[in-house]
Amino acid sequence: MAQSKGRIAIVGAGPGGMAAALACLRLGFEVTLFERAGEIKAAGNILNLWPPPQKVLKLIGVDTEDLGAPCHTYFESRTGKRRADVLLPPEVEAEYGGGFIGLLRWGLYQRMIDAIPPEVLKLGHELVRIDDYGAGVRLTFANGATHEADVLIGADGINSFVRGHLWGGKPIRHQRLHLVGGYLFLDQEPEGVGIIAHNRTTQVSYTPIRHEGKWGYEWWVLEACDPAAPAPGDLIGFCKARVEGFSKTVRDLIDATPVEHMQRWEIRDRPPLKQWSKGRITLVGDAAHPTSPYAAYGAGMSIEDGYFLARELAAVDMADTAAVRAALLCFEQRRIPHTIQVTQGAYYTGKIFHHCPAFLRPIRDWIFDHTPFLQKMVGDEMPKHILSQLAEIEDGQPYIPTHKRKAAA
C-alpha cells in the first residue's frame, strides 16, 4: 500500500465536499468526509452543469456517462424575442453535451456517492469544536467523537460552522428573490434547447434533463419576494398565475408536472470573502461562496474548488506548516477572482431583472430587445469565462504549483 500524503478532514458531504474527497483520494491522501445528517440528501431538485465541472467530475473518478441532457441555451423575452445566444465553440458543445447539461441534483449526488469508498464517509457527525494547534487540526463532534487531521476543509454550506469559526457570523445576504422549480419525465428525447425568458418582473425558464436513463424537462419560475412573507401554499397555482403570456411549451410543462416534483426556495448568498483560509483550515463551495442560481454555477464551482484544492495540497509536504499555509493561500488566490466574478455577476443580474424600478423596466427591456447588450454581457462573456476555466483543468498533466506558474509567466 502506498504511503499516505497526509490526512484530510472534510466537513459537509455536498458536491464541494464530495469533490474534494474524491480529488484528494485520487492524489494519495487519507480522507475522512463528515456529514452531520444521518443520510446524504440533495439540497434542491433541479440542476445544470457547465463544461468545467463536467471535466473535473470525470478526472476525479465520477461516472459522467449519460449524466445529463444536452442543452444549448438562449435568453429570450416573454414573447420569444431572442436576446442572447450562449455561444460555446462547436467542439466544446460536442464534448460536453451542448455545453450545458440538465439533470436532477440527486442524480449527481448518487454518482459521486458511488465513487467514494464507504469507509471514507462518516454520517451523523455534527462538528461542534475546532482546534488548530499549528501542526494539525483536532475536530470534536456532538456525538463525542474526535478526529485529527493535517488539513480541515469546510464544505458545510451557507450556514457553515467552519466559516463561522474562521471569520465569525457575518450576515446572510437576502436577495429578496425566490424560485419555484419542478421536473417531469417524457417518453421521448426532448429538443436540446434551454430557454431563459423574462417579462417585466418574472423569469420563466426550462431545459431538458436526463436522469437514470429517462428524458424529461426541468423548469423554474423566479421573481422578487418579501423574505418575511409566508411561502405560497399552492405552488401549481402560484406558477400558473405567473406564466400567462409565456410560451405554450413552458405552460404545458408546468401543467404536466406532479406537485411532488416541485420545490420552492428563497435565494440567498453572502457578500464575497477576501480570504478563505487560516492556518490549516480552508473553505470550499457554499461555505466560501454561496451563489444565486442566476449563474447556474453554484454546484459547478464547488466541484471545481475540490479539484484545485487537492492539486495545491499534493504539491507540498503536509508536515511543513508554512508550506501548507502557502498552498491554501495559492488555492484561494486562484479561486477567489473566479468565484467573485460569478457570484457577484449572478447577484447583479438578479437585481437588473427583478429589482429594477418600474419606470425603468420599459427602457431596460428595449435595450435587451434592440441592442447587443445582453448578448455581450451573457452570450459572449460567459463562454469566455467557461473556456478559461476549462483551460485551467490540466487533464492529469504534471501539476505546476500556482506560485511557480506565476514566476514562470
Side-chain angles (χ1 to χ4, degrees):
M1 180 181 294
Q3 185 175 359
S4 167
K5 287 188 175 180
R7 303 164 299 168
I8 307 294
I10 304 167
V11 176
M18 288 192 284
L22 288 166
C24 288
L25 286 167
R26 174 175 168 267
L27 294 177
F29 288 98
E30 177 186 340
V31 178
T32 309
L33 174 59
F34 296 99
E35 168 57 45
R36 67 179 180 180
E39 61 179 322
I40 298 177
K41 293 182 179 180
N45 55 0
I46 57 179
L47 183 66
N48 295 94
L49 288 176
W50 292 103
Q54 293 181 55
K55 184 175 182 179
V56 167
L57 287 169
K58 189 172 183 178
L59 286 172
I60 63 177
V62 176
D63 177 13
T64 59
E65 185 69 27
D66 203 28
L67 177 61
C71 179
H72 186 99
T73 310
Y74 301 96
F75 278 68
E76 294 185 350
S77 72
R78 171 186 60 82
T79 59
K81 170 74 173 178
R82 184 68 49 81
R83 290 172 164 176
D85 179 354
V86 183
L87 290 167
L88 284 163
E91 61 271 19
V92 173
E93 291 202 345
E95 184 172 356
Y96 296 102
F100 191 58
I101 61 171
L103 62 156
L104 298 187
R105 277 186 179 269
W106 178 245
L108 171 64
Y109 279 48
Q110 188 62 63
R111 298 280 186 107
M112 298 184 80
I113 292 167
D114 288 348
I116 296 172
E119 66 274 11
V120 168
L121 180 61
K122 308 295 181 185
L123 299 172
H125 281 66
E126 180 180 359
L127 184 62
V128 296
R129 181 183 174 94
I130 301 169
D131 296 291
D132 184 345
Y133 51 87
V137 183
R138 181 180 299 107
L139 311 182
T140 304
F141 298 91
N143 60 9
T146 60
H147 184 80
E148 304 273 339
D150 297 307
V151 167
L152 168 61
I153 301 170
D156 46 342
I158 190 170
N159 294 308
S160 168
F161 180 89
V162 180
R163 177 177 174 139
H165 169 83
L166 293 177
W167 307 115
K170 295 183 180 179
I172 286 174
R173 181 166 63 180
H174 292 270
Q175 297 195 17
R176 303 184 68 81
L177 301 172
H178 66 160
L179 180 153
V180 176
Y183 66 92
L184 67 160
F185 295 115
L186 305 172
D187 294 330
Q188 60 186 20
E189 180 177 353
E191 184 182 5
V193 170
I195 301 297
I196 299 173
H198 295 85
N199 64 15
R200 293 279 166 85
T201 62
T202 305
Q203 183 195 142
V204 177
S205 304
Y206 64 91
T207 73
I209 60 170
R210 183 81 167 155
H211 177 70
E212 295 181 347
K214 295 180 289 187
W215 294 105
Y217 276 101
E218 63 182 25
W219 56 264
W220 58 96
V221 175
L222 192 160
E223 67 171 15
C225 75
D226 177 0
D234 175 11
L235 294 183
I236 289 283
F238 171 87
C239 292
K240 287 183 176 180
R242 283 153 180 81
V243 299
E244 289 297 324
F246 284 86
S247 73
K248 185 176 185 301
T249 298
V250 74
R251 286 186 279 122
D252 288 346
L253 291 176
I254 292 172
D255 282 340
T257 299
V259 68
E260 61 269 22
H261 288 182
M262 299 175 64
Q263 187 172 342
R264 179 258 185 191
W265 60 94
E266 183 195 342
I267 295 173
R268 306 174 300 158
D269 67 358
R270 291 185 186 271
L273 287 172
K274 295 180 180 179
Q275 185 176 346
W276 296 351
S277 309
K278 187 185 295 184
R280 287 178 172 265
I281 306 170
T282 194
L283 305 171
V284 299
D286 281 356
H289 48 77
T291 306
S292 160
Y294 248 104
Y297 212 160
M301 288 195 300
S302 300
I303 291 165
E304 294 169 9
D305 287 347
Y307 168 83
F308 286 114
L309 175 55
R311 299 278 279 181
E312 294 286 358
L313 290 174
V316 300
D317 179 358
M318 288 289 102
D320 185 339
T321 297
V324 170
R325 290 175 176 171
L328 296 181
L329 180 62
C330 286
F331 158 67
E332 67 179 45
Q333 288 177 337
R334 187 174 198 173
R335 296 297 294 164
I336 285 176
H338 165 54
T339 59
I340 286 179
Q341 179 178 340
V342 174
T343 58
Q344 291 296 88
Y347 173 74
Y348 286 111
T349 300
K351 289 182 75 68
I352 289 169
F353 277 111
H354 303 289
H355 293 304
C356 184
F359 74 93
L360 290 176
R361 292 170 195 163
I363 299 171
R364 174 202 65 191
D365 290 351
W366 187 92
I367 292 171
F368 288 165
D369 286 335
H370 298 286
T371 77
F373 177 82
L374 204 62
Q375 177 61 45
K376 290 181 178 178
M377 186 177 79
V378 177
D380 298 337
E381 286 303 313
M382 190 65 177
K384 288 179 184 176
H385 197 64
I386 295 298
L387 294 175
S388 73
Q389 290 304 297
L390 275 176
E392 280 201 57
I393 300 165
E394 289 101 343
D395 288 318
Q397 297 298 314
Y399 180 59
I400 303 174
T402 301
H403 67 282
K404 292 185 179 179
R405 188 183 302 111
K406 290 179 178 178

